[in-house]
Amino acid sequence: MATLSSYIGVIGNLISVLMFLAPVYTFSRIIKNRSTEEFESLPYVCTFLNCFLWTYYGIIKPGAYLVSTINGFGLLVEIVYISLFLTYATANKRANTVMWIGILDVGCPAAAILVTWLALKGDVRINAIGFLGAGLNIIMYASPLSAMKTVVTTKSVEYMPFWLSFFFFLNGGVWLFYAWLQQDYFLGVPNGMGFLLGAVQLILYWIYTKPAAKKEDKSLSSALLVEDGREHA
């Protein structure tokens, strides 16, 4: 069982790498257009906080090195994403992002470290960090839903990155299995929720992509009919 969990953990790490790299296309577009357009920074701010707490959890919990290594990598990646977002965001979006960074990525980690090291010890400290990480993991998985209003309003999934939602779904499923093997409820509960929320995001993506595809097919058919009529004429 220990060997199986190690293999699953390695697979989970590989999928997590793909999940962290999924927004590369989004940021290449932002750099190309020199604008963040309607993209939101909250998913990246929340992911940074999530990675920080799980790196901390993996460091203080014996045998949890697989958790700390992949989340340490995620920390570095999110720093790059947030820096790029701040560079190309409008003044209002930049101010809003800085506010969330101050609250979530500076205030929360500082409070977590101070409280757990000054007031808690041993397993209680590990459990407290695991509890915080579990809650924030759910927020991270749900963060792409912040774009739901834009998706529903515009009836377009242009600003809800598909690959990010897909890898959230896949990552949640693999780490849920790993948590079951390890009997680690702090990993299992949030990743189970992540699996479900990822599925919801993919369903939302499918719903709002389908009409667009139909419209495109209809336009293509009309164009072909017009061209066919010209040929007959």
Side-chain angles (χ1 to χ4, degrees), residues 2 5 8-9 29 49 78 80-81 87 105 111 115 133-134 166 173 180 196 209 212 230:
S5 65
I8 297 299
R29 171 176 167 173
L49 175 58
E78 297 307 318
V80 174
Y81 291 155
T87 301
D105 293 346
V115 170
F166 174 73
W180 176 73
L196 294 176
T209 301
R230 285 178 180 175

Side-chain angles (χ1 to χ4, degrees), residues 43-228:
Y44 312 107
V45 173
C46 290
T47 304
F48 177 92
L49 175 58
N50 179 73
C51 288
F52 178 88
L53 288 176
W54 283 115
T55 301
Y56 183 32
Y57 177 81
I59 290 172
I60 65 175
K61 181 177 180 178
Y65 62 92
L66 286 173
V67 177
S68 60
T69 52
I70 187 57
N71 283 286
F73 172 78
L75 268 177
L76 298 176
V77 173
E78 297 307 318
I79 289 173
V80 174
Y81 291 155
I82 293 171
S83 299
L84 288 172
F85 196 95
L86 290 172
T87 301
Y88 294 105
T90 60
N92 288 337
K93 277 194 172 184
R94 189 179 296 116
N96 188 57
T97 301
V98 169
M99 179 192 71
W100 284 118
I101 291 173
I103 296 171
L104 298 178
D105 293 346
V106 177
C108 288
I113 291 175
L114 286 174
V115 170
T116 54
W117 277 99
L118 295 178
L120 305 174
K121 293 182 180 180
D123 289 341
V124 178
R125 177 186 297 158
I126 295 172
N127 291 338
I129 294 298
F131 183 79
L132 286 173
L136 288 166
N137 219 6
I138 294 173
I139 293 173
M140 182 198 74
Y141 279 125
S143 59
L145 293 175
S146 62
M148 183 184 290
K149 182 178 179 181
T150 303
V151 171
V152 174
T153 302
T154 62
K155 298 188 183 303
S156 169
V157 293
E158 183 180 5
Y159 298 108
M160 189 175 74
F162 169 78
W163 289 112
L164 185 60
S165 298
F166 174 73
F167 283 116
F168 272 2
F169 169 78
L170 198 59
N171 189 69
V174 172
W175 282 108
L176 173 63
F177 185 41
Y178 175 82
W180 176 73
L181 293 173
Q182 292 285 82
Q183 294 296 298
D184 191 328
Y185 298 107
F186 291 127
L187 281 174
V189 172
N191 282 291
M193 291 294 294
F195 181 73
L196 294 176
L197 289 170
V200 170
Q201 290 161 27
L202 292 177
I203 291 170
L204 183 67
Y205 195 94
W206 178 80
I207 289 172
Y208 285 98
T209 301
K210 193 174 181 181
K214 286 183 176 179
K215 185 177 179 181
E216 185 178 346
D217 291 342
K218 186 177 179 181
S219 299
L220 181 59
S221 299
S222 300
L224 290 173
L225 287 172
V226 170
E227 186 64 29
D228 187 55

Side-chain angles (χ1 to χ4, degrees), residues 34-46:
R34 305 187 67 81
S35 170
T36 58
E37 302 176 66
E38 297 300 319
F39 291 110
E40 300 290 338
S41 62
L42 191 59
Y44 312 107
V45 173
C46 290

Side-chain angles (χ1 to χ4, degrees), residues 5-24:
S5 65
S6 296
Y7 287 141
I8 297 299
V10 171
I11 293 171
N13 272 1
L14 294 174
I15 294 174
S16 294
V17 168
L18 295 176
M19 182 188 73
F20 288 134
L21 296 179
V24 166

